[in-house]
Amino acid sequence: MKPLDELKLIAFDLDGTLVDSAPDLALAINAMLVDLGRECFDEVTIRHWVGNGAEVLIKRALSGSSIVDNTLSESLYRQARSLFEQHYCEKLCVASRLYDGVAESLAAFSQRNIPMAIVTNKPNLFTPGLLQQIGIADYFDVVLSGDSLARKKPDPLPLQHLLDHYQLTNQQMLMVGDSKNDIQAAKAVGCRSLGLTYGYNYGEDIALSGPDFVADSLVELVELIDGSVTA
């Protein structure tokens, strides 16, 4: 069997995979911390806290560490969450940008009539707006946010939902992401995965998570697909 000759669907992570959203997330987190009278953090630090959804990001910021302080009060978290949502909604796509190779690669997949979906841990409050503002919303048939279903990545539920929705076998779907959460979800559901070397993976080499393919750019996936078809 050729590498991707059965491919019928590409599922993409969003933050760290298609969009470098860390600059705007950092702005919103720091605005929240200022409102709470707390210490701010540089963007590099906040980048290492992104990837597990807004709740974990906020709690890491309140803890000042990638390890969440379990003594944080629920009332503080709720106050912080409200402030973060306000700030991030106001400036959802100010400094965020598509990673190099993303725009042309999505266009190439579309031209090849390959269905595409989003599977992100980002809350639905933000996901559609970011996709629309950054100009790629029309590429995706299905968008699953972190709160669209009962569980999010690394749980396999969102990917299983896609398999059921499109009536596919697990080998007909490819999960593309930058984080071990994406690779773990793919392994759990039995589909193949491509790990990108950039993005937000807590400082870890994505290859350590054991994806089926590793790439520095989505352009490499276009080449891999074309090679599978023509080989």
Side-chain angles (χ1 to χ4, degrees):
M1 183 177 65
K2 301 181 184 71
L4 288 172
D5 59 356
E6 289 188 37
L7 185 64
K8 302 294 183 184
L9 175 69
I10 307 175
F12 291 97
D13 174 52
L14 181 57
D15 299 80
T17 295
L18 302 179
V19 181
D20 183 7
S21 54
D24 289 325
L25 287 168
L27 289 173
I29 284 291
N30 280 328
M32 172 197 83
L33 292 170
V34 168
D35 289 345
L36 293 171
R38 288 176 167 249
E39 176 188 359
C40 293
F41 299 93
D42 59 52
E43 183 184 312
V44 173
T45 298
I46 295 173
R47 279 180 178 272
H48 288 290
W49 297 342
V50 175
N52 295 98
E55 178 177 350
V56 175
L57 172 61
I58 291 165
K59 288 182 176 179
R60 284 170 173 163
L62 293 175
S63 304
S65 169
S66 59
I67 301 173
V68 172
D69 180 357
N70 291 324
T71 67
L72 291 171
S73 71
E74 183 64 21
S75 61
L76 173 61
Y77 166 69
R78 289 179 181 174
Q79 181 185 11
R81 176 79 184 229
S82 177
L83 291 167
F84 171 76
E85 288 179 350
Q86 173 189 334
H87 288 298
Y88 194 38
C89 282
E90 288 174 354
K91 297 182 178 180
L92 190 59
C93 194
V94 175
S96 296
R97 63 177 183 84
L98 295 176
Y99 285 102
D100 291 344
V102 168
E104 54 266 45
S105 296
L106 293 179
F109 301 138
S110 179
Q111 290 165 4
R112 288 155 179 75
N113 296 314
I114 302 172
M116 293 177 276
I118 290 288
V119 181
T120 176
N121 284 347
K122 198 180 199 73
N124 192 60
L125 177 63
F126 312 123
T127 304
L130 178 56
L131 289 170
Q132 195 67 46
Q133 289 182 39
I134 210 158
I136 59 174
D138 291 344
Y139 285 118
F140 305 103
D141 303 313
V142 176
V143 175
L144 296 178
S145 300
D147 48 2
S148 295
L149 300 171
R151 299 182 299 279
K152 58 180 181 288
K153 300 174 301 183
D155 192 281
L157 179 62
L159 294 182
Q160 185 61 56
H161 180 87
L162 288 180
L163 291 175
D164 294 342
H165 177 80
Y166 287 94
Q167 297 185 318
L168 301 176
T169 66
N170 51 16
Q171 286 299 297
Q172 292 175 320
M173 179 172 69
L174 178 73
M175 177 70 214
V176 177
D178 64 298
S179 165
K180 60 185 178 182
N181 295 322
D182 305 307
I183 310 308
Q184 289 170 5
K187 286 179 179 292
V189 84
C191 77
R192 288 173 288 185
S193 61
L194 182 144
L196 291 159
T197 57
Y198 57 79
Y200 319 135
N201 194 35
Y202 321 106
E204 298 177 15
D205 182 349
I206 192 67
L208 296 176
S209 296
D212 296 279
F213 309 97
V214 176
D216 297 325
S217 167
L218 273 186
V219 173
E220 294 179 42
L221 177 56
V222 178
E223 295 169 352
L224 182 62
I225 291 171
D226 287 349
S228 297
V229 172
T230 59

